[in-house]
């Protein structure tokens, strides 16, 4: 097995796991990575070791806002499979930076598709686009499937909607084998620290070693369908192994609230919570010590919220043979253990999570 793959966003959570998966399958992997003043390859090194020693992996400095560079990269690497994972991926941040979010998440995808077409590879290359359950936004139906109407609620969701249709357009106009993975939230110990699950599991570890400040959270009522990123990158790969491109929901079919996730995480860290108060006055208090461990912070609420996402991945099960196995509870416990271990207190999490 194996071929040549190009991954944008290779330094991110999904990019790192997908890179490791494709290398294990025998692929030659090219990764587009931004030039940064500080290293951004920590996730890749954590999974693969020193990158100079990794055979069949080559990183290329570049950016999804640089169209000519993308054309040169496609022409030079001539990938069998392109995975477009690069994005300004933080929903809250997209309200503060709507223009750069659109540049990268909408036009970046268009540039990459056009680079494939310009180089003359529309009939040869297979294209994966990191679409998202944020497309559903204020969803009209629950659970959401490939047929649920899109109603994005953020600049991020709107930019990803543009990219979604650009992918469909290249499939229909130019015959490109192009697929949208409409992925619901997926997490791991490599999850970015600004996303709510990782923010919580890092706070559990900090509280376990005596950090006094409570964790401040925004909307505790929001519900998400959280799965395991490692399973989801396998689903991406399966989409590109089909005879034709298509659009697929990947989800677990179970949802929980931010409050549920926080309760489970603090419990797994040996700090069981009880909740007091309502709305902006709600607090999570340690049942054992009475310490306030979580405080509601209205400044962390979003200008427009997506209240409830839950996906139906029946099509992926039927066509791809893919379904999620890891529960959000097991994933939460693993993330807590990893963050405790990073602070040298792994024993607390291991005992509690067992
Ligand atoms: P992530 O950890 O935030 O990674 C994003 C990646 O994009 C990073 O490698 C980042 O580079 C890169 N990037 C940002 N701006 C770029 C630019 N201008 N040019 C080139 N690369 C750029 O995100 P993730 O969780 O792995 O998600 C991967 C993709 O799936 C994203 O497109 C995201 O929107 C989408 N998605 C994620 C989820 C989820 O729950 N994780 C669900 C649905 C869809 P740096 O390392 O230099 O910052
Ligand atoms: N980040 C964050 N920080 N979110 C908080 C906080 C907080 O302090 N407090 C409450 N939340 C709520 C958010 O309002 C949201 O309803 C929920 O927690 C999840 O927020 P995130 O973890 O930031 O993820 P997201 O659902 O907005 O977006 C992620 O999933 C999308 C797929 O549905 C990202 O990975 C997107 O890139 C992805 O497309």
């Amino acid at each position: 097995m194996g071929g040549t793959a190009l991954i944008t966003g290779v330094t991110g959570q999904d990019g790192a796991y997908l890179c490791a998966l494709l290398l294990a399958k025998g692929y030659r992997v090219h990764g587009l990575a931004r030039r940064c003043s500080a290293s951004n390859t920590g996730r890749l090194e954590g999974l693969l070791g020193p990158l100079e020693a990794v055979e069949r992996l080559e990183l290329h400095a570049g950016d999804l806002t640089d169209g000519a560079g993308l054309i040169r990269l496609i022409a030079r690497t001539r990938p069998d499979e392109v995975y477009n994972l690069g994005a300004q991926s933080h929903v809250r941040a997209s309200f503060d930076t709507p223009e750069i979010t659109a540049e990268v998440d909408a036009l970046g995808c268009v540039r990459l598709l056009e680079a494939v077409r310009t180089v003359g590879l529309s009939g040869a290359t297979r294209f994966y686009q990191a679409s998202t359950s944020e497309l559903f936004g204020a969803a009209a139906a629950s659970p959401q499937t490939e047929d649920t109407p899109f109603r994005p609620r953020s600049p991020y969701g709107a930019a990803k909607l543009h990219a979604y249709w650009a992918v469909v357009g290249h499939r229909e106009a130019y015959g490109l084998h192009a697929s949208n993975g409409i992925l619901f939230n997926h997490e791991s110990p490599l999850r970015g620290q600004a996303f709510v699950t990782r923010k919580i599991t890092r706070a559990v570890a900090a509280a376990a070693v005596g950090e006094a400040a409570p964790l401040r959270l925004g909307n505790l009522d929001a519900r998400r369908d959280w799965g395991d990123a490692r399973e989801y990158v396998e689903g991406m790969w399966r989409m590109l192994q089909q005879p034709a491109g298509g659009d697929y929901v990947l989800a677990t079919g179970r949802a929980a609230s931010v409050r549920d996730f926080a309760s489970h995480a603090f419990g797994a860290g040996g700090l069981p919570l009880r909740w007091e108060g309502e709305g902006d006055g709600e607090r999570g208090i340690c049942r054992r010590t009475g310490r306030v461990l979580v405080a509601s912070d209205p400044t962390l609420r979003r200008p427009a919220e997506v209240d409830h996402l839950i996906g139906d991945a029946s099509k992926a099960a039927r066509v791809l043979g893919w379904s999620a196995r890891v529960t959000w509870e097991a994933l939460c416990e693993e993330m807590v253990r990893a963050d405790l271990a990073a602070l040298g207190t792994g024993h607390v999490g291991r005992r509690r999570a067992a």
Side-chain angles (χ1 to χ4, degrees):
M1 211 192 286
T4 299
L6 169 66
I7 304 173
T8 74
V10 72
T11 54
Q13 169 190 257
D14 291 4
Y17 284 127
L18 180 65
C19 182
L21 178 78
L22 296 182
L23 288 170
K25 289 182 182 296
Y27 281 71
R28 174 168 296 282
V29 179
H30 297 276
L32 178 77
R34 294 195 287 184
R35 198 207 72 81
C36 296
S37 61
S39 172
N40 57 1
T41 52
R43 290 184 176 102
L44 286 169
E45 283 155 0
L47 293 177
L48 302 170
L51 298 186
E52 316 77 68
V54 180
E55 287 180 21
R56 292 179 280 108
L57 173 64
E58 194 177 340
L59 297 188
H60 304 263
D63 199 293
L64 282 164
T65 58
D66 186 50
L70 295 178
I71 294 172
R72 285 195 301 274
L73 183 59
I74 296 285
R76 189 173 145 210
T77 58
R78 299 187 73 80
D80 302 306
E81 297 176 9
V82 172
Y83 296 86
N84 184 33
L85 310 187
Q88 190 302 94
S89 72
H90 201 276
V91 174
R92 176 66 187 84
S94 77
F95 286 97
D96 301 324
T97 59
E99 289 184 33
I100 193 65
T101 301
E103 274 294 344
V104 178
D105 298 13
L107 294 182
C109 175
V110 172
R111 289 185 192 98
L112 195 58
L113 287 163
E114 287 297 326
V116 171
R117 184 164 81 99
T118 302
V119 174
L121 290 177
S122 295
T125 292
R126 297 181 174 201
F127 193 99
Y128 173 86
Q129 166 61 14
S131 285
T132 164
S133 52
E134 279 289 310
L135 297 179
F136 298 119
S142 194
Q144 294 87 45
T145 72
E146 294 79 5
D147 297 323
T148 304
F150 296 136
R151 178 63 170 82
R153 295 261 288 165
S154 65
Y156 169 82
K160 287 282 190 177
L161 185 62
H162 186 148
Y164 174 96
W165 286 115
V167 166
V168 174
H170 274 250
R171 191 163 70 212
E172 295 179 352
Y174 309 119
L176 179 67
H177 186 302
S179 294
N180 281 294
I182 308 171
L183 270 51
F184 284 64
N185 300 47
H186 46 277
E187 320 293 312
S188 74
L190 298 187
R191 185 56 145 151
Q193 297 176 3
F195 298 97
V196 77
T197 55
R198 188 77 198 288
K199 182 173 169 182
I200 291 169
T201 60
R202 290 184 78 235
V204 169
V209 296
E211 170 72 55
L215 166 66
R216 309 196 81 79
L217 292 174
N219 183 6
L220 292 163
D221 294 317
R223 297 179 71 80
R224 289 292 182 274
D225 178 334
W226 282 295
D228 185 323
R230 290 150 289 195
E231 294 188 334
Y232 286 53
V233 299
E234 165 80 21
M236 296 174 190
W237 175 77
R238 288 189 185 207
M239 288 177 212
L240 296 205
Q241 311 318 306
Q242 299 308 304
D247 307 317
Y248 299 89
V249 161
L250 298 187
T252 70
R254 288 176 71 226
S257 69
V258 171
R259 186 185 297 100
D260 293 335
F261 193 96
S263 290
H264 199 79
F266 277 96
L271 301 163
L273 292 181
R274 64 182 155 80
W275 296 91
E276 280 187 9
E278 286 180 9
D280 295 346
E282 188 167 359
R283 299 180 309 166
I285 296 169
C286 181
R287 286 179 186 276
R288 288 197 290 108
T289 63
R291 270 170 66 198
V292 176
L293 297 177
V294 183
S296 175
D297 182 343
T299 67
L300 294 173
R301 290 174 183 265
R302 296 173 179 185
E305 178 63 285
V306 171
D307 295 317
H308 189 181
L309 291 173
I310 180 166
D312 176 348
S314 302
K315 180 182 175 187
R318 195 175 64 252
V319 180
L320 307 178
W322 182 94
S323 53
R325 291 176 302 273
V326 177
T327 63
W328 70 262
E329 292 94 334
L331 182 62
C332 173
E333 289 160 23
E334 182 196 358
M335 291 171 70
V336 168
R337 280 197 301 275
D339 281 323
L340 285 165
L343 289 187
T345 58
H347 62 284
V348 179
R350 270 197 291 278
R351 190 172 63 236
R352 289 283 163 177

